[in-house]
Amino acid sequence: MNVLVIGGGAREHALCRSLSLDPDVTALHCAPGNAGIADVAELHEVDALDGKAVATLATGLGAELVIVGPEAPLVAGVADAVREAGIPVFGPSQEAAQLEGSKAFAKDVMAGAGVPTARSYVCTTPAEVDEALDAFGAPYVVKDDGLAAGKGVVVTDDLAAAAAHANACDRVVIEEFLDGPEVSLFAITDGVTVVPLQPAQDFKRALDGDEGPNTGGMGAYSPLPWADPKLVEEVMQTVLQPTVDELRRRGTPFSGLLYAGLAITSRGVRVIEFNARFGDPETQVVLARLKTPLSGILLAAANGTLADLEPLRWSDDAAVTVVIASHNYPGTPRTGDPIEGLAEVAAEDAPHAYVLHAGTKRNGDAVLSAGGRVLSVTASGKDLTQARTRAYRAVDRIRLDGSQHRTDIAAKVAEAAAE
């Protein structure tokens, strides 16, 4: 199979790494890619938001499957353009991608599907904002209705900060705070059949101890030893299948990756948000544990044949990802700094640990930082303790001036599991 992946972050590097190890993949392309992806795929320049350009590139390459990684191209309708060119594509239509593109649309779908979620108000005026914040009280949960690259949500006890964020958005969803641990559960769907992947947990706050501002994610781990063994089955029945069925009923079938961000509250499972693509950094740990070749699963979703797929096979190993971010992330990150130590990780830590590139670019022989989240160091082990040890050993080999990373990814759960 000749495969083209659209995007250039650590999620796309994780996808490309899995595809490069897949015996059914004979040619692998990525556009635009990054310095790490270049080691496993042929890179191409393209405007990832231009559906016509992506379709033209895919046609020219003879791609037999196109995988659209990030949310912005999906919301821009890139998958539709590729489908219209007659090429199987993994990723929802522009209409269905509104499940992520609009928080208000997602709430409406959940209401129609009977999916449990937080009570909420959609606000467009300062008066509506004040009323909603007053109705729910602290902690305040304020979500920009549109795409915000993982930074559109503010959770705070500060009323003024909540109101300021809300009033800076054109349209905003204000909702009740959900207590309890958060879980990310991905499912692959062709619009009818839904196949869940393994759950993961990510760490959104920038600093140890879940302090500091929200980010796109500073690390993740899988599996979740503390989770109810029936969690996936329950979420399938109450969240994922009803949502897919509701979207099909509305005439906007959802095909691709449906990502449910969940809170395990004192009142049961509640949906925090939906995404319409693989999440970052959870993808890094989920794919590290997947044993079934990836291309066949994604092609089945694109072709509507998921029901014919054999059950997915998973490693019993645990996986941990630690994100190395630029100086000042998630503010205005510093870029252009050289990254050293990548060859040492490859020589000393493979195959148990490896580096997935997010915001990087090549300058001659040097690899430079080119974004806020720069690298995802991913490791596997017989349990979370071993996976953490391997991940942080690899992190310690990497040198990037001014960089930051959390030192407590999966620490509490690893300690609890070891007791």
Side-chain angles (χ1 to χ4, degrees):
M1 197 191 306
N2 183 344
V3 181
L4 168 62
V5 176
I6 302 301
R11 162 187 47 228
E12 287 76 34
H13 193 177
L15 289 164
C16 285
R17 179 182 181 275
S18 289
L19 291 164
S20 73
L21 300 172
D22 185 333
D24 291 328
V25 176
T26 50
L28 182 57
H29 305 271
C30 187
N34 61 39
I37 295 173
D39 292 336
V40 294
E42 185 179 340
L43 302 192
H44 305 270
E45 285 296 321
V46 77
D47 178 354
L49 298 177
D50 184 339
K52 190 174 179 183
V54 172
T56 299
L57 173 64
T59 302
L61 292 172
E64 294 158 288
L65 174 64
V66 175
I67 300 162
V68 183
E71 60 272 27
L74 292 167
V75 172
V78 168
D80 301 270
V82 176
R83 272 193 198 93
E84 285 162 16
I87 301 169
V89 59
F90 182 80
S93 67
Q94 182 174 30
E95 264 189 295
Q98 286 303 307
L99 201 62
E100 176 169 4
S102 167
K103 304 286 191 297
F105 175 78
K107 287 289 188 183
D108 189 55
V109 170
M110 283 188 266
V115 168
T117 186
R119 292 179 299 119
S120 64
Y121 294 103
V122 179
C123 306
T124 55
T125 68
E128 289 174 347
V129 165
D130 291 343
E131 190 178 339
L133 292 172
D134 184 57
F136 287 129
Y140 304 102
V141 181
V142 183
K143 299 181 175 181
D144 189 339
D145 182 52
L147 292 181
K151 299 176 200 164
V153 179
V154 166
V155 181
T156 180
D157 289 324
D158 184 333
L159 178 58
H165 180 66
N167 290 320
C169 305
D170 290 335
R171 187 159 81 146
V172 71
V173 173
I174 295 173
E175 62 185 39
E176 67 176 328
F177 177 76
L178 296 174
D179 64 337
E182 295 183 14
V183 173
S184 300
L185 184 61
F186 302 163
I188 291 170
T189 178
D190 56 11
V192 178
T193 302
V194 181
V195 177
L197 304 185
Q198 290 288 313
Q201 186 174 55
D202 78 333
F203 294 76
K204 285 280 186 246
R205 298 286 185 174
L207 307 176
D208 283 7
D210 291 328
E211 300 288 333
N214 253 356
T215 71
M218 295 299 290
Y221 70 92
S222 179
L224 313 182
W226 51 268
D228 187 326
K230 294 181 180 173
L231 174 66
V232 174
E233 185 183 333
E234 179 188 345
V235 175
M236 273 288 291
Q237 291 175 356
T238 62
V239 175
L240 297 170
Q241 192 70 57
T243 300
V244 169
D245 292 344
E246 173 67 12
L247 284 163
R248 190 174 67 253
R249 186 188 68 76
R250 290 172 177 232
T252 54
F254 187 105
S255 161
L257 194 291
L258 178 58
Y259 165 141
L262 308 163
I264 314 300
T265 77
S266 53
R267 293 171 294 141
V269 175
R270 297 287 185 274
V271 174
I272 301 169
E273 64 175 357
F274 282 124
N275 290 334
R277 39 71 197 182
F278 280 103
D280 182 345
E282 300 97 320
T283 300
Q284 289 87 303
V285 291
V286 172
L287 291 186
R289 300 185 56 225
L290 179 66
K291 293 175 76 172
T292 303
L294 182 63
S295 66
I297 308 169
L298 304 190
L299 184 63
N303 285 340
T305 57
L306 267 182
D308 302 332
L309 207 65
E310 292 183 4
L312 302 186
R313 292 179 291 111
W314 295 93
S315 167
D316 291 331
D317 283 356
V320 171
T321 282
V322 180
V323 170
I324 297 177
S326 293
H327 175 73
N328 200 41
Y329 177 77
T332 304
R334 192 173 80 204
T335 60
D337 290 310
I339 303 165
E340 298 176 335
L342 297 172
E344 292 170 40
V345 175
E348 302 292 335
D349 300 298
H352 301 300
Y354 48 89
V355 180
L356 298 168
H357 292 231
T360 67
K361 66 179 180 183
R362 194 170 285 282
N363 181 17
D365 291 336
V367 176
L368 308 180
S369 62
R373 292 186 295 172
V374 181
L375 303 168
S376 284
V377 179
T378 302
S380 298
K382 69 179 189 298
D383 54 27
L384 286 170
T385 299
Q386 187 178 54
R388 284 191 82 249
T389 300
R390 287 170 169 172
Y392 280 106
R393 186 187 302 144
V395 167
D396 288 343
R397 298 189 202 279
I398 293 170
R399 298 174 296 284
L400 171 61
D401 187 43
S403 69
Q404 53 177 319
H405 65 271
R406 284 185 56 162
T407 65
D408 63 347
I409 302 301
K412 282 184 183 175
V413 69
E415 287 166 17
E419 287 173 1

